[in-house]
Structures are given as structure tokens and as C-alpha cells.
């Protein structure tokens, strides 16, 4: 089956889906979205989840203790803490007192949980990049850059550029542009005490906590609609292509009986799905925004049952999913995940053949990795298509936002 082109699914300029939003910026749309037939119910649902005290995602409702001990990073696995502190101090030096007041929260503030991935701004946390002077905006992004790998920062910036490209495609540049993102700091930049930052907006959300030599970047939401830029100054940008190919190859490499067991639903919009399994915004992925305490049971097959060829492909997917981490913390995270292979599960929804859409999840006591192809939001495909995807990374059992480390530090 040939892979469809997003160009076949562009709304006409006068279609109500886009025409009614024309001229709205993030703040005006934040109000309008509450009454929108698509966004309104999502906002109401997430509004009920946000006030909950943080516990962490689990597979059975019980948070396991002792998975994330507060120890020094191993040699070669240290966080780039000094570079992060330097970048954050440069940002703070540029801010007015009013901007500082808006930007900075306590290191264990509830506002960590305010991030969301849609284009509508449900919570106005921190400072809005597209409202800042260029020097301040660039300084905020420099904090992000200092915290990520080079390839991770390049991916984040390309996803932000795709957001701007989409805004231009549908003539909604005030609502969706390269810098329509919120940025906040939590705690005071320090080489020894916990602090961090948050960046979130349409299809990009990262939560970064550093404590001495330890770095946690989780939850992470990275997505794109469409997945390529085919014209303009950033022509040639494309995202997630290798991860998607490796996932298809993994399914192909499984013995038929094992593959059948991994597939929990044959169709992306399967009539056998129980009520609530298909969410209006999240669709099939389970660990997105405001799902900090969700119980997500294991499904599919244990990775310990995979043949070596499939396990090798799974490890490529894991590595690519964590490529935003600097080399040292990435090595630590991969080791942490591999230590739990005895309780790691792989599940799949949809087809793995050709260019068809699919969903997969890798889940263990220490990680959840999801990739889900979606229907259109600003493109009009009514069925999931491979040019719109969401990816999610979570750290279950209480260490999203580095909270397990922070709690141990605070005592």
C-alpha cells in the first residue's frame, strides 16, 4: 500500500475547521477552544485530572519503591549540569522582574503537570516564546539546547519548524508558529540541588530535571502533523522515519504466533475496543498529558520471548526514542531499561505492512514508549495516517519530572 501524501488532505481555505480560527492567537483561542466540539470535551476531561496529587504511572495501581535511588551518576554518565546552569543564568540575567515572576516555580510545584501537546493553551505556565524579544527567546532555547543531545535538540527544533509550516499551510500563523510554546523554570539553577525546566506546546513537550550529576527528561511528548516539510527554507525536514521503519521490521521479524500475540487490536479504530480505549485527542496512546497517575496494564508479549533479530530492532527503537538525552544520561537510561527486560512488554495495534498506520508500546517498570499514528486535526484525513504521529516517553512508578529523586533529596 503506497504511503499517502499529506497534500491530499489539505482543507480548503474557507472550510469551517480552519476558517473559524483565522485571526485567533493562542490566548484568544484558549477561550474559544472551551466551546469547540473537538477541543472542549478534552479540556473538560483533562481539567478533572490536573488537580490530582502526583503518584506516577503504574501497571497495576501500586507505585513500586526503590527503582530510582538517589545516587551519583556513574563515570561517563553524568548530566551536562554546568552547561545547563550557565545557560539558565544567562537567561535569568536578561529578564525583567515581572518576567522572572512568571517564569520561575518551586522545584516541586504542581505546575510541572500543566504541560499539554495540543495547539490550544490550556495552562499558561511560564513565558510564551512567541511573545518574547528574540534575545530572551534564544536564551530560553539555549537552556534546552544545553540539556539535550545535538540530535535531540535538532529534532525538537525541527518539530517546532513543522508546527510553523503547518500554521502557514492552513493560514493560522498566530495560533501555530515556530515559537508558539511555553517555557518555565522550576527551582534555582544549581550544580548540586534539584532544578529544571519545561517546554510545551503543539506536538512538543519536554520536562527536564537535573540534580547534581543525574538528569531526568520525562515526560516527553514529540509529534508532527505533517511529518515532512516539502517547501520553503526548511524543505527536506522529515521526522521519525527510521523509528517507524524499524518498528515495521520488528513485527516482520517475529514468528507468526508471537506476532499475533503482540497485536492487541487488528484495526486502529477497532470495533472490539472497550469504551474509553479510543480517546478523541490521544486516540490510542495512553501516557500523554494529564495521565501522570494512569494505570496502564501490560499488554502484548514479553520482550524476553523475542528472537534476537527482533530484540536488536527493539533496542534500536529504544535508542532512537531516547536520542534526545545527552550521551552519558542516555547510556544510563538504556542500562536502566535493559535491567528490566525480564518485565518488559511489547504491544501493537494495526498493520505493520506497507505504509499503513499503526501503534506500538514498549512498557516496563521504568519506561513507557509509545508511537501512535493519528487522524487529522489540521489535515482532513478521517483515518489514522503515517504523516501524523504522536510519540510519548514516560518514567513509571514515580520518576516522571524526576520526582522520585527530588523527594529523596528533600527527604
Amino acid at each position: 500500500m503506497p504511503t499517502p501524501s499529506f497534500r491530499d488532505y489539505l482543507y480548503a481555505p474557507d472550510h469551517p475547521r480552519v476558517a473559524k480560527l483565522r485571526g485567533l492567537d493562542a490566548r484568544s483561542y484558549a477561550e474559544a477552544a472551551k466551546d469547540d466540539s473537538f477541543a472542549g470535551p478534552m479540556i473538560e476531561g483533562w481539567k478533572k485530572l490536573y488537580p490530582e496529587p502526583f503518584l506516577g504511572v503504574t501497571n497495576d495501581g501500586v507505585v513500586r519503591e526503590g527503582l530510582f535511588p538517589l545516587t551519583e551518576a556513574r563515570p561517563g554518565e553524568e548530566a551536562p549540569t554546568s552547561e545547563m546552569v550557565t545557560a539558565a543564568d544567562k537567561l535569568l540575567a536578561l529578564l525583567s522582574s515581572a518576567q522572572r515572576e512568571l517564569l520561575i516555580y518551586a522545584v516541586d510545584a504542581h505546575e510541572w503537570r500543566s504541560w499539554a501537546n495540543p495547539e490550544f493553551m490550556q495552562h499558561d505556565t511560564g513565558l510564551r516564546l512567541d511573545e518574547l524579544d528574540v534575545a530572551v527567546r534564544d536564551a530560553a532555547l539555549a537552556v534546552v539546547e544545553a540539556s539535550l543531545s545535538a540530535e535531540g535538540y535538532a529534532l525538537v527544533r525541527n518539530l517546532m519548524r513543522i508546527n510553523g509550516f503547518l500554521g502557514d499551510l492552513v493560514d493560522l500563523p498566530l495560533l501555530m508558529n515556530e515559537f508558539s510554546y511555553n517555557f518555565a523554570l522550576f527551582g534555582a539553577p544549581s550544580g548540586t540541588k534539584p532544578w529544571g525546566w519545561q517546554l510545551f506546546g503543539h506536538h512538543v513537550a519536554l520536562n527536564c530535571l537535573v540534580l547534581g550529576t543525574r538528569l531526568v527528561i520525562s515526560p516527553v511528548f514529540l509529534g508532527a502533523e505533517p511529518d515532512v516539510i516539502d517547501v520553503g527554507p526548511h524543505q527536506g525536514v522529515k521526522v521519525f522515519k527510521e523509528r517507524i521503519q524499524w518498528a515495521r521490521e520488528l513485527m516482520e521479524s517475529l514468528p507468526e504466533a508471537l506476532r499475533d500475540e503482540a497485536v492487541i487490536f487488528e484495526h486502529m479504530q477497532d470495533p472490539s475496543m472497550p469504551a474509553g480505549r479510543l480517546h478523541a485527542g490521544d486516540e490510542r496512546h495512553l501516557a500523554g498529558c494529564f495521565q501522570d497517575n494512569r494505570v496502564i496494564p501490560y499488554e502484548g508479549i514479553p520482550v524476553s520471548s523475542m528472537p534476537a533479530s527482533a530484540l536488536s530492532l527493539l533496542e534500536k527503537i529504544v535508542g532512537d526514542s531516547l536520542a534526545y538525552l545527552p550521551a552519558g544520561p542516555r547510556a544510563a537510561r538504556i542500562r536502566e531499561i535493559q535491567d528490566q527486560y525480564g518485565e518488559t512488554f511489547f504491544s501493537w495495534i494495526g498493520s505493520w505492512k506497507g505504509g499503513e498506520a499503526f501503534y506500538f508500546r514498549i512498557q516496563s517498570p521504568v519506561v513507557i514508549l509509545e508511537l501512535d499514528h493519528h487522524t487529522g486535526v489540521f489535515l482532513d484525513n478521517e483515518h489514522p495516517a503515517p504523516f501524523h504521529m504522536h510519540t510519548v516517553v514516560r518514567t513509571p512508578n514515580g520518576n516522571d519530572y524526576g520526582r522520585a529523586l527530588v523527594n529523596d533529596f528533600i527527604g
Side-chain angles (χ1 to χ4, degrees):
M1 178 180 176
T3 302
S5 168
F6 77 89
R7 289 275 175 190
D8 297 330
Y9 298 93
L10 292 175
Y11 282 108
D14 60 350
H15 191 284
R17 171 69 187 121
V18 291
K20 70 179 182 179
L21 305 181
R22 200 146 289 133
L24 297 180
D25 62 12
R27 298 187 185 283
S28 53
Y29 184 48
E31 290 303 313
K34 296 176 183 177
D35 299 319
D36 183 84
S37 59
F38 175 70
M42 284 193 292
I43 291 171
E44 286 303 310
W46 289 335
K47 190 188 300 183
K48 295 174 184 176
L49 296 173
Y50 179 60
E52 294 177 352
F54 175 80
L55 296 173
V57 175
T58 64
N59 70 290
D60 60 3
V62 180
V63 175
R64 299 193 196 182
E65 303 295 335
L67 291 171
F68 309 103
L70 179 55
T71 57
E72 290 293 319
R74 295 184 183 183
E77 296 182 353
E78 298 93 343
T81 310
S82 177
E83 294 87 343
M84 294 171 64
V85 170
T86 297
D89 284 343
K90 288 180 179 178
L91 168 63
L92 292 173
L94 295 174
L95 300 181
S96 67
S97 58
Q99 287 175 320
R100 283 174 175 252
E101 187 70 22
L102 291 171
L103 179 72
I104 302 171
Y105 298 83
V107 73
D108 57 352
H110 191 77
E111 282 80 3
W112 272 115
R113 302 182 57 208
S114 67
W115 69 272
N117 56 277
E119 77 288 347
F120 54 81
M121 186 172 61
Q122 186 158 350
H123 293 277
D124 189 13
T125 305
L127 298 173
R128 187 84 174 169
L129 294 185
D130 61 3
E131 297 174 347
L132 298 175
D133 293 340
V134 172
V136 177
R137 183 192 72 203
D138 289 350
L141 288 173
V143 178
V144 178
E145 183 175 17
S147 310
L148 304 181
S149 66
E151 60 266 44
Y153 184 68
L155 174 60
V156 168
R157 292 294 288 114
N158 279 337
L159 295 176
M160 295 169 70
R161 293 179 183 116
I162 287 175
N163 188 56
F165 175 64
L166 177 62
D168 290 340
L169 279 174
V170 297
D171 194 20
L172 297 173
L174 296 178
L175 183 59
M176 294 183 292
N177 60 72
E178 184 179 345
F179 302 108
S180 54
Y181 296 87
N182 283 56
F183 180 80
L185 287 180
F186 293 82
S190 168
T192 58
K193 297 179 181 179
W195 68 281
W197 55 263
Q198 177 185 79
L199 175 74
F200 72 89
H202 193 210
H203 283 143
V204 173
L206 301 103
N207 297 275
C208 174
L209 187 286
V210 63
L211 201 175
T213 58
R214 298 286 297 279
L215 181 72
V216 176
I217 305 181
S218 174
V220 172
F221 183 108
L222 300 174
E225 183 191 26
D227 63 341
V228 297
I229 298 177
D230 60 359
V231 295
H234 302 296
Q235 182 178 0
V237 164
K238 54 186 179 180
V239 292
F240 304 119
K241 298 294 188 181
E242 289 183 330
R243 193 182 314 177
I244 288 167
Q245 182 59 32
W246 290 331
R248 297 189 197 280
E249 291 175 5
L250 189 161
M251 286 294 284
E252 186 67 32
S253 72
L254 291 175
E256 184 176 359
L258 204 56
R259 185 168 59 229
D260 289 346
E261 191 178 346
V263 177
I264 55 177
F265 297 104
E266 291 186 9
H267 305 288
M268 293 290 275
Q269 297 164 320
D270 202 302
S272 68
M273 288 177 173
R277 183 60 183 85
L278 194 60
H279 184 270
D282 292 335
E283 299 200 17
R284 284 145 300 275
H285 74 74
L286 302 173
C289 60
F290 305 107
Q291 304 300 327
D292 294 318
N293 299 331
R294 187 163 190 164
V295 177
I296 303 176
Y298 294 140
E299 295 180 292
I301 59 173
V303 303
S304 58
S305 68
M306 289 181 173
S309 58
L311 185 60
S312 176
L313 287 161
L314 181 133
E315 291 184 335
K316 287 185 176 182
I317 293 168
V318 170
D320 191 58
S321 301
L322 302 174
Y324 57 83
L325 287 166
R330 188 190 318 168
R333 186 75 166 118
I334 289 174
R335 176 171 46 77
E336 181 178 68
I337 291 168
Q338 290 176 340
D339 286 347
Q340 296 291 336
Y341 272 2
E343 192 181 341
T344 301
F345 290 79
F346 174 79
S347 56
W348 189 276
I349 297 174
S351 175
W352 64 93
K353 299 178 180 178
E356 296 183 56
F358 62 79
Y359 161 92
F360 73 76
R361 181 168 81 255
I362 299 167
Q363 181 178 357
S364 81
V366 297
V367 75
I368 293 176
L369 304 175
E370 295 183 287
L371 186 148
D372 189 24
H373 287 123
H374 276 226
T375 55
V377 176
F378 288 97
L379 300 172
D380 75 349
N381 54 297
E382 295 181 355
H383 300 283
F387 50 73
H388 181 189
M389 72 284 293
H390 290 182
T391 75
V392 180
V393 180
R394 284 278 188 174
T395 307
N397 289 298
N399 207 33
D400 274 334
Y401 315 102
R403 189 61 59 87
L405 301 182
V406 171
N407 287 346
D408 279 357
F409 182 85
I410 294 173

